[in-house]
Amino acid sequence: MNDIKLALLGSPGAGKSAVLVRFLTRRFIGEYASNSNSLYHKRLSIDGRQLNLEVFDPCSQSSEARCVLEEPLDWADGFLVVYNISDRASFLNAKGVLRQIREARADNCKGESEVPVCLLGNKQDLCHARQVCEDEGRRLAQESRCHFQEVSAAEGYQDIANLFTMLIRQVMEQLRHRTDRRRYSGSKSMAKLINNVFGKRRKSV
């Protein structure tokens, strides 16, 4: 059974916890402030494969607090970065978070494929108070080479469920790719070792 680790990141009021609870329970919760980090667990089946999903929901912080991101950046296999379409400050914070993810992965990946990331514009039901147009979100996602979608945690479950499923599939594919690369690299090393050993024996005969 595979273990998949996701992290939700976003500023206060973006609704990331509401998005997560909607996915996990199908229920909508109102906004609430949390001063502590939370780790959620869910067992699910995707494409016939049984998965243990862990989702890290750290307490919301501003983009200036870089140290807060160190734990989820090192831990997670994929990221969901959430902003509120009716709050431009949350969008700017999401932009900073995406930049930090890119910088961290550039330092740590060393040639491995990029970590799956989704930029999520939440509170689509508040479009009458919109401060961030959809095209801005899409452009930022293109610049950051990640998926983009707008949803409303208050109004719907299916879009959010589809989004999580897509992100989990991307993580599964990346983990499989990483395993295949390591297996191939290990096979090459073993073949080289065998060749060296038997090559030397042939020379000594």
Side-chain angles (χ1 to χ4, degrees):
M1 185 176 292
N2 292 343
D3 291 327
I4 303 293
K5 300 178 177 66
L6 303 180
L8 270 78
L9 303 173
S11 57
K16 62 186 179 69
S17 297
V19 166
L20 177 56
V21 171
R22 175 66 96 169
F23 169 66
L24 295 175
T25 69
R26 293 177 176 257
R27 296 194 304 270
F28 173 67
I29 58 169
E31 295 302 329
Y32 64 93
S34 174
N35 295 320
S36 62
N37 299 332
S38 299
L39 183 63
Y40 297 85
H41 300 266
K42 183 179 179 67
R43 184 169 293 184
L44 67 161
S45 176
I46 293 181
D47 301 330
R49 300 176 65 178
Q50 297 298 313
L51 306 173
N52 283 322
L53 177 65
E54 293 182 291
V55 186
F56 183 43
D57 182 12
C59 58
S60 299
Q61 296 287 341
S62 66
S63 58
E64 288 79 11
R66 294 184 64 94
C67 60
V68 173
L69 287 178
E70 290 178 0
E71 184 176 356
L73 285 178
D74 293 338
W75 176 83
D77 300 314
F79 297 91
L80 191 64
V81 181
V82 184
Y83 69 91
N84 174 0
I85 69 165
S86 63
D87 179 10
R88 174 159 290 276
S90 72
F91 177 73
L92 297 177
N93 180 62
K95 187 174 184 178
V97 170
L98 289 173
R99 183 180 64 252
Q100 292 179 50
I101 292 174
R102 289 199 307 271
E103 291 173 353
R105 298 305 294 184
D107 292 339
N108 298 331
C109 268
K110 298 180 179 179
E112 290 188 2
S113 57
E114 293 184 355
V115 64
V117 180
C118 178
L119 176 65
L120 182 63
N122 188 31
K123 305 192 181 184
Q124 195 178 39
D125 53 299
L126 299 181
C127 61
H128 59 278
R130 180 187 290 273
Q131 294 183 7
V132 183
C133 69
E134 189 172 353
D135 285 344
E136 285 183 275
R138 186 168 287 107
R139 283 197 301 271
L140 176 58
Q142 290 174 346
E143 293 169 4
S144 303
R145 298 187 300 277
C146 68
H147 180 76
F148 168 73
Q149 189 170 334
E150 284 192 357
V151 301
S152 169
E155 291 188 339
Y157 161 78
Q158 197 57 53
D159 286 344
I160 291 173
N162 292 342
L163 179 71
F164 271 91
T165 300
M166 180 212 67
L167 185 59
I168 291 169
R169 282 184 175 131
Q170 289 182 352
V171 168
M172 291 168 62
E173 177 63 23
Q174 192 213 40
L175 293 177
R176 186 191 64 78
H177 175 71
R178 189 182 304 169
T179 300
D180 289 346
R181 285 187 58 184
R182 288 172 179 169
R183 186 181 296 121
Y184 175 70
S185 178
S187 299
K188 286 182 64 178
S189 299
M190 183 59 69
K192 185 176 181 180
L193 175 62
I194 293 172
N195 184 62
N196 288 342
V197 170
F198 284 93
K200 291 178 181 178
R201 287 183 180 178
R202 283 197 295 270
K203 290 179 181 178
S204 62
V205 172

